């Protein structure tokens, strides 16, 4: 080969020029032994290889299937957990609202009770005051009437003579007689 | 049996024909191996499915195997970028060895030399070993900077000459291990065939398949181990 162009010459020219030839002597090319070796190799090797590869394929598909199952399970659980969360939130809101209402009601009750107590005390106070006032009036009246009658008695005792007394008695008898005659 | 090399002249300059020796039979078989290794994933990743079947399952399994191998040798944190390199080493050596043992190369007869596994040539294996050397040097320098050279005086500075020597013996041993195994297997099978052409060489050929597969695994594992070793001790 003196130049590159010779590479592109037709194959037959190249073969004959370079002296490459086909050897068909079976023994020399060791064909029988090669075929024997290859057949033994395939016979034993195929079984091993096939079982290995099938194992691998089965493992892979199992793993993938397991992973997918776990994925769907996980999404379902997530869904359920979300629903429960919503329900719990609603319930929490309800509890809070009812709690607030209860608080208000109790406060109102306390206020009312206090008002009632206040009114009761006020009433009793007023009653006591009135009672005392009346007692005071009674006392004063009694005192005034006692004083008045005392003074009348004194003036009577100081001015009354026997004659005047008898005239007074006669006057009263005459008045009583005229009243009984009517 | 001849193990000569096929000479090819280099692309010539206009005024001179220079000659560099290239082992063309290794090139041809290497190209076949490369074509196989490229065609296989292209075909298998045609119709990617989540649950793999058939060919896709097979190459995924191979990928997992290589990834496991790398992860075992290099640890969990830093194995990821090296999986392609170790995978290339393993697959190319494996397919080279097995193609050399299983494909009927002798059908094509060359004027000089003959076609066989590309790894039965010392140049191939030395190239792979030097690649591994460069890889672990690069890994160490990239990860630790110039303190990588501190590893030469671990654990004691007395071992410095041995550590330097190790840098030369590592590629040497890698290349010669692979080369010796493959070439020796080919030679033994050839001798047996020339003695008893039919059934007798078959066990030896089967053993050869087994050992060449082991050699591919060993080369890849050792490459990963060297890289991992040069990257560790970082913390």
């Amino acid at each position: 080969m003196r130049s590159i162009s010779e590479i592109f010459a037709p194959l037959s020219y190249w073969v004959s020029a370079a002296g490459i030839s086909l050897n068909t002597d079976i023994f020399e090319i060791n064909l029988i032994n090669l075929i024997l070796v290859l057949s033994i190799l395939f016979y034993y090797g195929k079984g091993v290889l096939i079982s290995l590869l099938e194992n691998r394929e089965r493992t892979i598909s199992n793993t993938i299937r397991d992973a997918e199952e776990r994925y769907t399970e996980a999404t379902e659980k997530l869904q359920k957990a979300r629903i429960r969360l919503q329900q719990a939130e609603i319930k929490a809101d309800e509890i809070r609202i009812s709690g607030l209402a209860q608080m208000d009601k109790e406060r109102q009750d306390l206020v009312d009770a206090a008002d009632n107590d206040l009114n009761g005390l006020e009433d009793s106070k007023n009653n006591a005051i009135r009672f005392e006032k009346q007692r005071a009036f009674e006392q004063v009246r009694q005192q005034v009437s006692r004083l008045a009658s005392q003074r009348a008695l004194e003036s009577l005792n100081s001015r009354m003579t026997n004659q005047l007394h008898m005239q007074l008695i006669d006057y009263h008898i005459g008045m009583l007689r005229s009243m009984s005659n009517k | 049996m001849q193990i000569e090399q096929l000479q090819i002249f280099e692309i010539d300059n206009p005024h001179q024909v220079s000659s560099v020796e290239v082992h063309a039979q290794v090139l041809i078989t290497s190209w076949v191996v490369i074509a196989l290794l490229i065609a296989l994933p292209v075909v298998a990743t045609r119709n990617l499915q989540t649950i793999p079947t058939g060919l896709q399952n097979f190459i995924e399994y191979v990928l997992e195997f290589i990834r496991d191998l790398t992860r075992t040798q290099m640890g969990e944190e830093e194995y990821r970028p090296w999986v392609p390199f170790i995978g290339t080493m393993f697959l190319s050596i494996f397919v080279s060895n097995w193609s050399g043992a299983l494909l009927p190369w002798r059908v094509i007869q060359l004027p000089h030399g003959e076609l066989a596994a590309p790894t039965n040539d010392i140049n191939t294996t030395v190239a792979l070993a030097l690649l591994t050397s460069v890889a672990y040097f690069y890994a160490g320098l990239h990860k630790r900077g110039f303190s990588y050279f501190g590893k030469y005086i671990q654990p004691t500075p007395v071992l410095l000459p041995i550590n330097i020597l190790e840098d030369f013996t590592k590629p040497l041993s890698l290349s010669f291990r692979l080369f010796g195994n493959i070439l020796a297997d080919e030679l033994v099978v050839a001798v047996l065939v020339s003695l008893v052409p039919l059934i007798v060489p078959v066990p030896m050929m089967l053993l050869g398949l087994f050992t060449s597969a082991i050699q591919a695994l060993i080369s890849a594992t050792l490459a990963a181990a060297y890289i991992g070793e040069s990257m560790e001790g970082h913390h």
Side-chain angles (χ1 to χ4, degrees), chain B residues 6-226:
Chain B
L6 184 64
Q7 276 189 332
I8 290 187
F9 291 101
E10 205 185 34
I11 314 244
D12 51 333
N13 310 329
H15 47 274
Q16 199 187 21
V17 172
S18 54
S19 77
V20 170
E21 245 180 64
V22 171
H23 299 171
Q25 77 268 23
V26 174
L27 283 184
I28 294 175
T29 48
S30 300
W31 291 338
V32 170
V33 167
I34 292 174
L36 268 177
L37 280 176
I38 290 183
L40 183 66
V42 164
V43 165
T45 56
R46 271 294 159 73
N47 213 358
L48 286 180
Q49 290 161 355
T50 315
I51 302 189
T53 52
L55 210 50
Q56 181 189 343
N57 202 2
F58 174 63
I59 63 167
E60 277 189 14
Y61 174 69
V62 170
L63 176 66
E64 264 184 26
F65 175 74
I66 297 174
R67 205 184 278 166
D68 257 341
L69 170 69
T70 323
R71 191 192 349 226
T72 314
Q73 294 303 322
M74 294 204 227
E76 190 63 49
E77 299 108 24
E78 44 206 25
Y79 77 96
R80 259 306 184 85
W82 291 102
V83 171
F85 176 71
I86 302 296
T88 309
M89 292 282 291
F90 174 70
L91 283 177
S92 63
I93 299 180
F94 185 78
V95 175
S96 303
N97 297 347
W98 271 35
S99 79
L102 290 178
L103 295 181
W105 285 116
R106 301 275 276 279
V107 175
I108 307 176
Q109 202 174 31
L110 298 177
H112 303 284
E114 57 186 13
L115 297 173
T119 35
N120 78 343
D121 192 336
I122 184 67
N123 297 302
T124 318
T125 55
V126 164
L128 289 169
L130 284 180
L131 262 182
T132 308
S133 254
V134 167
Y136 82 73
F137 251 101
Y138 166 75
L141 286 174
H142 181 76
K143 184 105 201 250
R144 294 160 63 177
F146 279 111
S147 72
Y148 169 70
F149 294 110
K151 96 166 163 62
Y152 284 104
I153 50 177
Q154 302 289 11
T156 92
V158 170
L159 295 180
L160 178 65
I162 295 187
N163 282 329
I164 295 185
L165 195 63
E166 207 178 30
D167 269 337
F168 291 100
T169 60
K170 272 183 188 167
L172 201 69
S173 76
L174 276 176
S175 57
F176 269 97
R177 182 184 305 116
L178 184 59
F179 165 64
N181 261 290
I182 305 305
L183 185 64
D185 171 64
E186 281 189 5
L187 283 178
V188 167
V189 168
V191 165
L192 278 181
V193 161
S194 71
L195 287 180
V196 184
L198 279 183
I199 307 294
V200 172
V202 169
M204 200 59 214
M205 295 171 80
L206 289 172
L207 184 64
L209 283 180
F210 175 65
T211 58
S212 57
I214 296 278
Q215 282 309 310
L217 183 64
I218 287 182
S219 293
T221 308
L222 277 179
Y226 293 155

Side-chain angles (χ1 to χ4, degrees), chain A residues 2 4 18-23 28-34 36-38 41 52-53 56-57 60-61 64, chain B residues 12 50-53 57-58 60-61 64 101-102 104 106-111 193 197-199 201-202 205 209:
Chain A
R2 309 261 156 177
I4 308 180
I20 298 180
S21 61
L22 217 57
N23 190 349
E28 171 138 16
I29 59 176
N30 216 10
L31 201 58
I32 302 184
N33 291 335
L34 272 179
L36 214 55
V37 166
L38 276 170
L41 193 66
L52 219 104
L53 292 181
R56 183 167 184 271
E57 181 177 349
I60 289 180
S61 69
I64 290 182
Chain B
D12 51 333
T50 315
I51 302 189
T53 52
N57 202 2
F58 174 63
E60 277 189 14
Y61 174 69
E64 264 184 26
L102 290 178
R106 301 275 276 279
V107 175
I108 307 176
Q109 202 174 31
L110 298 177
V193 161
L198 279 183
I199 307 294
V202 169
M205 295 171 80
L209 283 180

Side-chain angles (χ1 to χ4, degrees), chain A residues 41-131:
Chain A
L41 193 66
F42 271 116
Y43 180 64
Y44 286 116
K46 209 165 189 59
V48 170
L49 203 63
I50 298 260
S51 76
L52 219 104
L53 292 181
E54 272 184 3
N55 251 352
R56 183 167 184 271
E57 181 177 349
R58 217 175 321 128
T59 314
I60 289 180
S61 69
N62 280 347
T63 314
I64 290 182
R65 203 161 3 106
D66 280 348
E68 281 184 359
E69 275 180 21
R70 274 201 297 268
Y71 173 69
T72 51
E73 273 181 23
T75 44
E76 274 181 30
K77 281 206 189 113
L78 180 66
Q79 202 59 25
K80 285 195 192 133
R82 278 221 187 102
I83 292 177
R84 273 205 301 269
L85 177 68
Q86 267 181 342
Q87 287 175 345
E89 273 183 4
I90 290 176
K91 216 172 287 180
D93 276 344
E94 281 179 12
I95 289 180
R96 182 159 39 90
I97 290 176
S98 78
L100 283 176
Q102 189 113 351
M103 195 174 68
D104 277 346
K105 189 160 69 76
E106 289 206 355
R107 181 155 38 90
Q108 199 57 34
D109 281 351
L110 277 175
V111 165
D112 286 346
D115 274 349
N116 283 346
D117 282 350
L118 205 62
N119 287 343
L121 285 175
E122 187 104 10
D123 282 346
S124 70
K125 173 191 85 172
N126 287 343
N127 282 347
I129 289 182
R130 214 178 314 134
F131 183 63

